[in-house]
Amino acid sequence: MPKAKGLAKYASKESRIGRVQLIRKLSRDGITGFYRLDLAKSRIREKVLEAVNNEELNHIFDCDAVLE
């Protein structure tokens, strides 16, 4: 959680940086890959900042992460 929140705070302060992502290697629906949360998007950044535990962060990954 501290790393995720730190990256989200950094992304909110540094608008000059175009890409700040939180990345996890996950297996979802039989597809293993790197799932990314784009912390440059304010909606996702706010969710991460409001999360209070890893379970909530896991839920954000389930709902908003993109496979690349």
Side-chain angles (χ1 to χ4, degrees):
M1 283 301 301
K3 180 179 180 180
K5 288 189 177 225
L7 281 172
K9 288 176 185 176
Y10 178 77
S12 69
K13 291 179 184 177
E14 292 295 333
S15 60
R16 299 172 294 166
I17 297 174
R19 180 182 282 186
V20 178
Q21 297 180 336
L22 187 60
I23 303 170
R24 283 186 176 173
K25 185 176 182 181
L26 300 171
S27 182
R28 187 187 296 168
D29 299 324
I31 301 171
T32 300
F34 293 98
Y35 289 83
R36 302 160 188 269
L37 289 177
D38 186 355
L39 297 176
K41 295 180 180 178
S42 62
R43 180 179 57 85
I44 294 177
R45 195 169 52 240
E46 289 169 11
K47 286 183 179 183
V48 171
L49 289 172
E50 291 174 2
V52 294
N53 56 39
N54 280 328
E55 197 171 288
E56 290 183 10
L57 186 59
N58 292 342
H59 181 71
I60 297 167
F61 266 93
D62 289 342
C63 295
D64 297 305
V66 176
L67 174 65
E68 287 187 15

